[in-house]
Amino acid sequence: MIHSRNRRLRVSESMRSLVRESILTTDDFVMPIFVMEGENKEEAIPSMPGIFRRSIDLTVKECKELFSLGVKAVNLYMKVSDHLKDNTGKEAWNKDGLMQNTIKAIKDAVPAMVVMPDVALDPYSIYGHDGIIENGKIMNDATNDALARMSVSLAEAGADIVAPSDMMDGRVLTIREALEENGFTDVGILSYSAKYASSFYGPFRSALDSAPKDDMEIPKDKKTYQMDFHNSREALNEVFKDIDEGADIIMIKPGLPYLDIVAKVREAIDLPIAVYNVSGEYAMVKAAAQNGWLDNDKTIIESLTCFKRAGADMIFTYFAKEAAILLNK
């Protein structure tokens, strides 16, 4: 005779929901947003169906809708005009730059929206790299100084959290000290602590034209600063260093292929953990759904719930708006 039957707790949806361990809500989402110059402009991103580059006015409109759906945080990326790019990234701390004006516009229109601008030089670089290049090499410390100037500028514009995604060594400490010295003690740092050199970033880079340029004199990829995808223990080393330097939130990127890293970091730290459901993951689901190979809605909710189950506190995802609509039903 069987005394223990696990199926007793699966007999109905009501019973299953009563014992459910991981619950997905709109409070979990951060929506990445692409911004472009102009007015009343919207451009579709072919490799990311349903995602657009928008001018500031339409970005504000989108943020209002997101907030009404329960999505209370956005992550900002700029499509920078080629004539503003150089090897210093100085446009990144232009007080009247596209990023700064976008932050101001969103905070004016939706004050309660948490605005997390990306901190990296690749959209501003003529080389498409996250760092300043000298003699064919990425200069770590010079890049950190630039990232600190960028972070202070974004804080001045009204950013709630700055999100350095560059993977330079020591940049969290450099940014934290710069924010403190300039009086921005309440501005948080969400550090991309375990960001892997991944093949899943392709659609994102095409959206911003931020892929490394094909030049024999510079690195052809980002493997000298982003993590080797073969490694997991290294992720904990990166995480602990960023916490010591003053990070408030830890990011793991990409997402679904790296749930083991999310779970390992969750066991090791108490700080909030963010995970990035990246562009390639989004594109794969959309392509399969468009071909009838997957159920779009069910796959979205299942995959996002997996991040919560692994231990993430917040999910950066291009599905945020669509998932919020589904959950609100």
Side-chain angles (χ1 to χ4, degrees):
M1 180 181 296
I2 300 174
H3 292 281
S4 177
R5 295 180 184 270
N6 292 340
R7 290 181 58 191
R8 292 179 187 133
L9 300 182
R10 303 175 192 147
V11 295
S12 67
E13 174 57 24
S14 296
M15 182 65 76
R16 292 190 295 272
S17 64
L18 190 65
V19 298
R20 192 158 286 155
E21 299 173 27
S22 303
I23 308 297
L24 187 71
T25 77
T26 59
D27 291 335
D28 299 318
F29 301 147
V30 179
M31 180 70 180
I33 289 180
F34 300 118
V35 185
M36 60 184 291
E37 295 281 4
E39 186 175 349
N40 195 33
K41 287 188 176 181
E42 181 178 85
E43 294 178 354
I45 300 170
S47 57
M48 301 176 68
I51 302 299
F52 301 86
R53 288 182 291 263
R54 295 184 175 94
S55 54
I56 293 178
D57 53 333
L58 296 187
T59 296
V60 168
K61 181 180 178 182
E62 180 73 1
C63 287
K64 289 179 178 178
E65 185 174 358
L66 285 167
F67 200 83
S68 72
L69 291 170
V71 178
K72 302 181 182 70
V74 291
N75 176 221
L76 302 180
Y77 299 89
M78 303 296 111
K79 176 69 169 65
V80 179
S81 300
D82 287 344
H83 74 277
L84 296 174
K85 298 181 181 182
D86 62 11
N87 187 36
T88 70
K90 64 180 183 296
E91 179 63 20
W93 54 87
N94 177 2
K95 66 178 182 179
D96 294 316
L98 181 61
M99 178 75 91
Q100 287 77 359
N101 288 333
T102 301
I103 295 169
K104 293 172 187 175
I106 294 173
K107 295 302 288 186
D108 284 345
V110 196
M113 179 70 83
V114 176
V115 178
M116 305 181 186
D118 181 61
V119 175
L121 299 186
D122 50 333
Y124 305 90
S125 169
I126 54 174
Y127 298 116
H129 272 286
D130 294 55
I132 295 169
I133 294 180
E134 292 182 15
N135 300 319
K137 294 183 178 180
I138 310 296
M139 304 305 293
N140 190 93
D141 296 1
T143 298
N144 286 347
D145 292 339
L147 297 173
R149 292 187 68 177
M150 181 181 183
S151 296
V152 170
S153 177
L154 302 181
E156 289 172 344
D160 299 286
I161 293 174
V162 293
S165 62
D166 56 286
M167 287 297 289
M168 297 297 123
D169 292 332
R171 91 279 205 206
V172 172
L173 179 59
T174 304
I175 292 171
R176 184 74 272 163
E177 289 178 341
L179 291 172
E180 296 288 320
E181 289 169 3
N182 285 275
F184 296 108
T185 57
D186 291 334
V187 174
I189 298 177
L190 184 151
S191 176
Y192 287 60
S193 300
K195 181 180 180 180
Y196 286 82
S198 172
S199 300
F200 286 88
Y201 303 148
F204 173 92
R205 290 175 179 170
S206 65
L208 292 183
D209 187 27
S210 62
K213 304 307 178 187
D214 188 9
D215 188 322
M216 292 293 290
E217 298 181 358
I218 64 172
K220 64 180 180 180
D221 53 40
K222 302 188 177 186
K223 293 181 180 179
T224 65
Y225 46 99
Q226 294 179 357
M227 283 182 56
D228 185 339
F229 66 80
H230 299 85
N231 298 347
S232 64
R233 294 192 302 272
E234 183 186 5
L236 290 176
N237 184 17
E238 292 280 1
V239 166
F240 291 144
K241 285 182 177 178
D242 285 358
I243 293 173
D244 288 343
E245 292 178 14
D248 300 288
I249 303 170
I250 297 301
M251 168 69 85
I252 297 161
K253 182 180 181 181
L256 288 174
Y258 294 81
L259 291 180
D260 61 315
I261 307 301
V262 178
K264 180 173 288 191
V265 173
R266 177 75 290 159
E267 292 177 359
I269 71 170
D270 295 324
L271 260 63
I273 294 175
V275 63
Y276 207 129
N277 182 209
V278 300
S279 59
E281 299 167 45
Y282 176 90
M284 288 192 302
V285 171
K286 284 299 180 184
Q290 287 177 352
N291 280 283
W293 300 332
L294 291 175
D295 183 298
N296 180 79
D297 296 356
K298 291 179 179 178
T299 304
I300 290 172
I301 298 302
E302 180 181 344
S303 60
L304 296 180
T305 302
C306 289
F307 295 124
K308 291 295 296 292
R309 190 188 66 227
D313 298 288
M314 64 192 74
I315 307 164
F316 285 53
T317 178
Y318 303 96
F319 289 121
K321 183 177 181 179
E322 196 171 356
I325 292 171
L326 292 172
L327 291 174
N328 288 335
K329 290 181 180 178

